[in-house]
Amino acid sequence: MATPTKPLLIISGPSGVGKSYLDKLLKLSGLQPVINTTTRDIRPGEVDGVDYEFLTKDQYINVRNTSTDFVTDCEFFGAYYAVRQSEIDKIWADGKIPYMYIYIGVIEIFIEAFPYSRRVYLMPRDIELIERRLKQRDGDKYNIRLKAAKAEIVMFDSGKNKFYHNILPVVDDDTGPIVQALLGEASDL
């Protein structure tokens, strides 16, 4: 695996903290999301090449075995996920700052691949904020997503916090301060 020397912004946080909404605002602010590759099923409203690069498991394994383009490679909930070096290089070539959202459970893999990254964790003020957002959004998957969100917060509090440069508190639905803080983190790159 290649080890990029240029920095990028890595953002983590539990389900319901507002990553998808922030994504829209960060794009409008001139940052560029890294389009990750995955073998998971495409969800309603997602677009191949915009939200993810969707591959079959056979296609994914073929790329992994015949190329060095995957800088990271991990399995999560039965699906493969990777970051392509070519995707990040394209963003850097356009003069933009790349950012990506990652699950806290694989942060060490990303630190190894991207040692110069700036890593930020979005921490909800309290679990009620997450509960409210997940109820509005996830319907029948509410209990699964809430359990995963709580587990991620426990993981953060149990030592994963040491891998992050900054912890940004999410206190309500006013995302302005969070966007400004993330832009400040990106300007430090």
Side-chain angles (χ1 to χ4, degrees):
M1 280 189 216
T3 302
T5 57
K6 293 182 182 178
L8 69 140
L9 182 61
I10 293 178
I11 305 166
S12 299
S15 291
V17 80
K19 296 181 298 287
S20 296
Y21 184 71
L22 286 171
D23 192 49
K24 296 171 188 168
L25 298 174
L26 290 174
K27 287 178 192 175
L28 292 172
S29 299
L31 299 180
Q32 183 69 39
V34 175
I35 307 301
N36 295 328
T37 302
T38 186
T39 62
R40 77 159 171 75
D41 292 337
I42 193 167
R43 295 177 184 152
E46 289 183 325
V47 177
D48 186 25
V50 174
D51 298 294
Y52 283 93
E53 174 191 26
F54 293 96
L55 299 178
T56 66
K57 284 193 177 182
D58 287 342
Q59 290 170 322
Y60 184 98
I61 291 168
N62 183 54
V63 173
R64 182 174 63 192
N65 292 339
T66 62
S67 168
T68 59
D69 199 27
F70 286 170
V71 182
T72 63
D73 174 27
C74 54
E75 189 174 357
F76 183 65
F77 289 130
Y80 293 114
Y81 290 84
V83 175
R84 288 183 183 261
Q85 182 64 53
S86 58
E87 174 69 17
I88 295 170
D89 289 343
K90 181 176 67 172
I91 296 169
W92 283 330
D94 289 342
K96 296 188 177 183
I97 297 172
Y99 70 93
M100 67 177 88
Y101 296 100
I102 64 140
Y103 169 62
I104 191 172
V106 296
I107 187 67
E108 292 96 335
I109 293 169
F110 283 81
I111 292 171
E112 183 179 330
F114 307 107
Y116 300 100
S117 62
R118 186 79 178 158
R119 298 172 300 278
V120 178
Y121 193 83
L122 304 175
M123 179 59 81
R125 164 197 69 217
D126 53 39
I127 201 64
E128 287 78 22
L129 178 72
I130 298 294
E131 289 173 342
R132 179 176 51 82
R133 289 179 174 179
L134 292 177
K135 277 181 187 173
Q136 291 171 348
R137 177 182 92 185
D138 287 331
D140 61 339
K141 293 185 180 181
Y142 168 77
N143 288 326
I144 294 168
R145 301 287 297 240
L146 181 60
K147 184 177 178 180
K150 288 178 177 179
E152 182 164 328
I153 293 168
V154 168
M155 202 181 305
F156 179 84
D157 289 337
S158 298
K160 295 280 188 178
N161 57 349
K162 68 183 176 191
F163 298 116
Y164 292 88
H165 296 102
N166 202 352
I167 298 134
L168 300 179
V170 178
V171 297
D172 55 29
D173 291 333
D174 180 10
T175 57
I178 298 294
V179 170
Q180 290 305 311
L182 288 171
L183 292 174
E185 293 290 335
S187 69
D188 289 343
L189 299 172

